Amino acid sequence: MNFGTKAVHAGVTPDPSTGAIMTPIYQTSTYVQESPAKHKGYAYARGANPTRNALQKSIAALEDGKFGICFSSGMGATDAVIKLLAPGDEVITSNDLYGGSYRMFRKIYEKFGIKFHFIDLTDVNNITPFLNEKTKLLWLETPSNPLMRITDIKALTTIAKKNNMLVAVDNTFASPYLQNPLALGADIVMHSVTKYLEWP
Ligand SMILES: Cc1ncc(COP(=O)(O)O)c(C=O)c1O
């Protein structure tokens, strides 16, 4: 499937209850259970919801990823990634970064013992002095918000992998139409989907 076809069809199957071709918007919060824990895959909307499942599969397909998880905002997704870490872990990220991510890192997660290094990643060599056994995550944003700086995902991922680090890329500005971080070696890609660009 090319990108346009994937954007329309990937992750979407006709709705089993009605045959609707495109997934309906399910507003249900609680689902019936035949007996405790015996149900059709949906128990409570926070855990799983058919509409969200279709969106997750669709975005995973657009990024050529194995799984997708949707949150009510991009910051929710970023928050979930940082929670993979533990106190004492260190993160290398860029010195030009979406302000909400920067504030979350400094104001919330530094308090919990996670250390962030904000460096100029447009030169891949700048990463070297910050690598140690505690650096667990490389958080990239390219092009960056606001300065539209470009970092070399493949070169940085190669260095990070040698250091057993996870690599996460905020792909909001590029979109999967222009850039595929997973194909360049990243482990995780995130988006603020309210900013999906119009593709030509
Ligand atoms: C690059 C980038 N990442 C993350 C976010 C945060 O996403 P959200 O506003 O969906 O929480 C934004 C929002 O502007 C953004 O521009």
Side-chain angles (χ1 to χ4, degrees):
M1 276 196 263
N2 69 23
F3 190 86
T5 311
K6 269 193 204 170
V8 177
H9 294 290
V12 182
T13 45
D15 181 54
S17 56
T18 61
I21 294 285
M22 299 314 280
T23 310
I25 297 172
Y26 281 88
Q27 297 186 331
T28 317
S29 60
T30 307
Y31 294 77
V32 71
Q33 305 196 21
E34 256 176 70
S35 56
K38 196 167 174 213
H39 50 72
K40 295 181 167 59
Y42 300 100
Y44 186 62
R46 177 163 21 83
N49 161 285
T51 316
R52 195 167 71 239
N53 275 2
L55 177 64
Q56 292 178 160
K57 284 188 189 156
S58 170
I59 291 181
L62 290 175
E63 286 288 357
D64 291 329
K66 289 189 187 139
F67 314 100
I69 307 178
C70 290
F71 297 82
S72 52
S73 87
M75 292 313 295
T78 303
D79 183 75
V81 174
I82 302 301
K83 284 187 184 130
L84 294 171
L85 302 173
D89 287 348
E90 298 188 14
V91 180
I92 298 177
T93 187
S94 60
N95 59 3
D96 182 48
L97 191 64
Y98 171 60
S101 306
Y102 177 79
R103 284 190 294 278
M104 179 192 278
F105 295 168
R106 304 256 11 224
K107 294 195 173 180
I108 299 175
Y109 283 104
E110 274 185 356
K111 274 196 312 211
F112 290 96
I114 297 170
K115 191 168 176 183
F116 295 85
H117 301 285
F118 299 92
I119 61 178
D120 177 5
L121 289 174
T122 55
D123 179 348
V124 297
N125 298 313
N126 288 344
I127 195 177
T128 315
F130 297 92
L131 296 171
N132 64 59
E133 70 287 352
K134 292 182 186 160
T135 41
K136 296 286 164 54
L137 175 71
L138 176 62
W139 179 271
L140 303 177
E141 185 182 296
T142 178
S144 64
N145 175 6
L147 296 179
M148 302 295 251
R149 286 196 177 138
I150 303 296
T151 50
D152 184 338
I153 298 175
K154 196 169 182 182
L156 285 166
T157 299
T158 306
I159 299 170
K161 292 288 127 185
K162 284 188 193 140
N163 214 55
N164 294 322
M165 294 167 71
L166 278 177
V167 179
V169 179
D170 181 338
N171 206 23
T172 299
F173 270 30
S175 84
Y177 183 73
L178 298 175
Q179 167 173 280
N180 185 334
L182 299 181
L184 298 170
D187 303 289
I188 299 169
V189 55
M190 69 75 56
H191 291 273
S192 169
V193 282
T194 50
K195 286 145 203 93
Y196 254 37
L197 307 175
E198 248 181 57
W199 296 300

